[in-house]
Amino acid sequence: MGAYFASLNFLDFLGRLPAAAAQGLFWGIMALGVYITFRILDIADLTVDGTFATGGAISAVLILKGWTPWATVGAALVLGLLAGAVTGLLHTKLGIPAILAGILTQYALYSINLAIMSFKANTAISSTTRNMVMSGLDVNGSLLICGVIVIVLIALMYWFFGTEIGEAIRATGTNQEMSKAQGINIDRMKVLGLALSNGLVAVAGSLSSQYSGFADVNAGRGSIVIGLAAVIIGEVVGNAILGKKLNFAGHLAFVVVGAILYYVVYTLILWLKMNPNLMKLFTAIIVALFLAVPYLRSRAKSSFAKAGKNSKKMEAK
C-alpha cells in the first residue's frame, strides 16, 4: 500500500487538470444540448450519441478536403440541426415515442457517419498542418478559445429562451396541455428544441475531433450519460452554492461546470491508476448519487417537518 501511494505524484495530477478542463468545456457544450431536451423539453433524447459522432466525422472529412476548421464547425451545426429535426418529426408526425425516435435516428446515424468517412471506422486529421479551433497540442489556447465559445453560447441561449419562441419551448416542456390552450404549436416547439439540442451536440463533436486529431464512428457512444452527469452534477453544485438565487443563466453555466467537474473526477481516477475500463461503472455510480441528492434532501426536509408537527401536537396535549 505504501508503495502505491509513493508512486502517486500530486504535481502530475495538477499538470493534467488543464487538459481535463479543456475536455470538460467542449463536453459542456454537449451537456448544454442535453439540458435543452432533458430539462427544458422534458424529453429523453438518445439521438445525441449519434450526432456527437456526426459532428466529429463531418469536421474531420471537410478539414481533409481543405475547409477551414471554423467552417467545419458550422457544417457540423447544420447536420446536427437536421438530425434533431428528424427525431422530432418521427416523434410528432409519426407518433413514435420520443425515446424510440431518438434510438432510430441514432441507429441510422451510425451508417451515415460511416458513409461520411468513406466507410472507415475512424479518420485522422493532423493538428500540425492546420490551425484547429481546439488542439490537444495547445491545451492553454484550447481552454481560452473554447471558454469564449461557451460564454457566447450561454449568452445566446439565455437570450433565445427569453424570446417568444424560446418561452414557447419552455412552456411546452412545462405543461403541454396549457401550452395548447395558449395557442402554442407544441409539435413545432418539440422539433425546434430537439434540433437545437442536437446542433449543439454536433458542435461539441466537431471540437472534440479537432482537439483529439481524429474522428471515430463510436465517439458518441455513451455521451448521453456524460451529458446527464454534467447536468445533474451542475444542478446539485449550483443549488448548493446559490440556492434559490440560481437563475436560468446560472443553470446553464453550472451545466458546463458539471462537465468540467466530471472530467476532473475522470482525471483523478486515471491518476489513482484505476482501470479506465471501469469508468462507465464509476460514471453510473456518480450520476446515481447526484440524482439521489435532491430526493434525499426533500425526504430529510419532510421528515424534519413531520417531526416538528408531531412535537407541537405532543406539546398541545
Side-chain angles (χ1 to χ4, degrees):
M1 184 64 71
Y4 166 73
F5 286 109
S7 68
L8 300 176
N9 185 344
F10 187 68
L11 292 177
D12 175 52
F13 172 68
L14 293 179
R16 298 183 187 187
L17 288 181
Q23 286 184 290
L25 281 173
F26 62 73
W27 277 99
I29 296 173
M30 184 268 179
L32 287 172
V34 172
Y35 182 83
I36 293 174
T37 51
F38 182 61
R39 281 297 185 228
I40 296 179
L41 276 179
D42 194 24
I43 290 177
D45 178 34
L46 298 182
T47 314
V48 296
D49 280 18
T51 46
F52 187 88
T54 301
I58 194 64
S59 190
V61 169
L62 291 180
I63 286 173
L64 293 177
K65 289 183 179 294
W67 285 44
T68 61
W70 279 103
T72 68
V73 175
L77 172 63
V78 172
L79 284 185
L81 290 170
L82 291 173
V86 168
T87 298
L89 292 171
L90 288 174
H91 172 51
T92 59
K93 301 303 180 184
L94 299 183
I96 299 173
I99 191 168
L100 293 179
I103 291 172
L104 289 173
T105 307
Q106 174 204 134
Y107 201 64
L109 282 174
Y110 185 87
S111 296
I112 293 171
N113 295 338
L114 280 174
I116 290 172
M117 295 190 292
S118 301
F119 296 98
K120 293 185 290 185
N122 50 65
T123 299
I125 48 178
S126 176
S127 298
T128 58
T129 56
R130 286 183 171 273
N131 295 321
M132 301 296 169
V133 177
M134 293 183 67
S135 172
L137 300 177
D138 182 12
V139 174
N140 292 331
S142 297
L143 273 171
L144 176 62
I145 293 173
C146 198
V148 171
I149 293 173
V150 166
I151 291 171
V152 171
L153 285 175
I154 289 176
L156 287 173
M157 288 178 68
Y158 181 74
W159 165 79
F160 174 75
F161 283 104
T163 64
E164 186 176 346
I165 295 176
E167 291 284 359
I169 294 175
R170 295 171 72 175
T172 298
T174 303
N175 191 321
Q176 292 189 33
E177 295 304 319
M178 183 63 73
S179 298
K180 280 183 183 179
Q182 295 297 319
I184 296 173
N185 188 326
I186 63 170
D187 286 351
R188 187 178 300 168
M189 294 304 107
K190 286 181 180 180
V191 172
L192 180 56
L194 284 163
L196 290 173
S197 170
N198 285 278
L200 288 174
V201 173
V203 167
S206 173
L207 295 175
S208 174
S209 68
Q210 293 186 44
Y211 182 82
S212 61
F214 70 95
D216 191 281
V217 72
N218 293 311
R221 182 172 294 177
S223 59
I224 182 62
V225 179
I226 298 176
L228 290 174
V231 171
I232 300 303
I233 292 171
E235 286 180 341
V236 171
V237 173
N239 284 319
I241 295 174
L242 297 178
K244 293 182 179 180
K245 294 181 180 179
L246 186 64
N247 59 12
F248 183 64
H251 276 287
L252 296 177
F254 273 102
V255 165
V256 179
V257 171
I260 295 173
L261 290 176
Y262 172 85
Y263 268 92
V264 169
V265 172
Y266 183 89
T267 301
L268 176 64
I269 289 171
L270 294 179
W271 176 71
L272 292 172
K273 299 181 180 180
M274 296 184 184
N275 191 334
N277 292 318
L278 297 176
M279 192 57 204
K280 291 186 184 299
L281 172 62
F282 291 128
T283 299
I285 294 172
I286 291 169
V287 173
L289 289 174
F290 276 93
L291 278 171
V293 167
Y295 173 75
L296 295 175
R297 184 180 296 170
S298 65
R299 285 289 299 271
K301 287 182 179 178
S302 62
S303 296
F304 281 120
K306 287 180 180 178
K309 288 182 181 178
N310 291 334
S311 63
K312 288 181 180 179
K313 289 180 180 179
M314 294 296 292
E315 289 175 2
K317 292 180 180 179

